[in-house]
Amino acid sequence: KPANEVVVVGHAYAPGGAPVETLQARLTMAEVDRSFWVSGPRRRRPDGSLGRPLARGRFPLGWDRAEQTPDNPSGVARDAAFGPSLEPADGGPGPLSPAHPPRAKLGPTDVSSDRVLDHQLDPTRFCSAPEPQRRSAPFGTGEALSLLNLHPEIPVLHTRLPSSGLRLLVDGQPRPIRADTLFVDTDRRILTLTYRAQVRADAAPALALELVEDEVARADVTISSAPAGRAFDSAARRVAGDEVLG
């Protein structure tokens, strides 16, 4: 993938669970700074205008809650009974499916087919995050992450990626590997950091993953103006090359 990405799925949450009509959510991590507004359901009046939002304690973040556009055909149509509840109109913070127009126009949908080799495939085709959530720099160990209204119990959450990383060994020799995708699941309270490497498989090499540090790192978590409760669990564990906070 030509870019490193942050993807968010789940819901935005009103502070303390108290229902509100509208809410701002925000994700900040180095050069990625994405804000969006969510609202409760708004019934469409006969003249096409939208009524006042119904208060809610949590708000879905899916692309189907944003306004329908050529780049977001799964969004809310202009003649729907209820209006869109997610802004901006360019969609939410979740992943784009391979069939989504901004991705589909970059190459064939079935990238597993051998016929892909006969096409001019734009590498950006493999990026699933919305463009504002992509970055050029790889994820660094101990890098800071801030979430606003993206946790069920903690309105403002400041945390860090673990200070340890992974090392790939191919036939006993170190090979390049990088963390290129951070997946944030607000409902399950899990952060997943995916590492990626390229290795020739025709020679059936011996592969191994090692922790750069001997002990599993602990992530620092800071809670601002939040009630007591379980945050994103800070113990880092790695499974099949993925790093999971949870």
Side-chain angles (χ1 to χ4, degrees):
K1 293 196 299 185
N4 304 288
E5 315 176 276
V6 184
V7 178
V8 182
V9 298
H11 290 76
Y13 293 88
V20 296
E21 295 181 354
T22 60
L23 182 75
Q24 182 188 24
R26 185 179 181 184
L27 160 75
T28 307
M29 190 176 195
E31 61 195 85
V32 173
D33 189 348
R34 183 89 192 276
S35 294
F36 38 94
W37 286 88
V38 290
S39 65
R42 295 181 296 173
R43 184 174 294 276
R44 197 179 300 276
R45 301 187 181 102
D47 64 358
S49 62
L50 297 176
R52 186 168 180 170
L54 300 176
R56 292 288 185 267
R58 69 175 196 164
F59 305 83
L61 298 175
W63 282 75
D64 59 330
R65 301 305 177 111
E67 182 180 357
Q68 187 180 78
T69 66
D71 283 344
N72 182 26
S74 62
V76 180
R78 293 184 179 273
D79 58 353
F82 288 86
S85 58
L86 176 65
E87 296 180 358
D90 60 359
L96 299 166
S97 74
H100 211 83
R103 290 187 70 185
K105 67 183 180 182
L106 299 176
T109 301
D110 183 10
V111 296
S112 64
S113 172
D114 292 339
R115 290 176 296 176
V116 170
L117 300 178
D118 298 329
H119 291 76
Q120 195 72 20
L121 181 64
D122 188 328
T124 309
R125 173 70 173 71
F126 297 102
C127 295
S128 64
E131 190 170 353
Q133 292 165 218
R134 302 173 191 172
R135 47 185 272 180
S136 57
F139 295 103
T141 55
E143 188 170 344
L145 167 68
S146 296
L147 302 173
L148 173 65
N149 294 325
L150 291 172
H151 188 280
E153 300 171 4
I154 303 171
V156 184
L157 175 64
H158 303 294
T159 186
R160 291 182 179 275
L161 299 182
S163 59
S164 59
L166 289 178
R167 176 167 53 200
L168 171 66
L169 299 178
V170 179
D171 293 329
Q173 299 300 315
R175 292 288 297 273
I177 185 173
R178 68 185 177 98
D180 66 5
T181 306
L182 179 65
F183 190 89
V184 181
D185 188 329
T186 68
D187 294 345
R188 298 174 62 201
R189 312 178 191 189
I190 294 177
L191 308 178
T192 304
L193 187 61
T194 300
Y195 287 79
R196 195 177 310 273
Q198 292 182 330
V199 178
R200 292 184 61 90
D202 52 0
L207 305 179
L209 287 173
E210 294 184 346
L211 289 177
V212 174
E213 297 180 354
D214 293 333
E215 297 182 359
V216 174
R218 306 292 296 187
D220 297 326
V221 177
T222 302
I223 302 171
S224 301
S225 303
R230 183 167 66 91
F232 285 99
D233 295 333
S234 58
R237 52 189 175 85
R238 293 162 177 78
V239 181
D242 289 354
E243 179 179 87
V244 182
L245 296 185

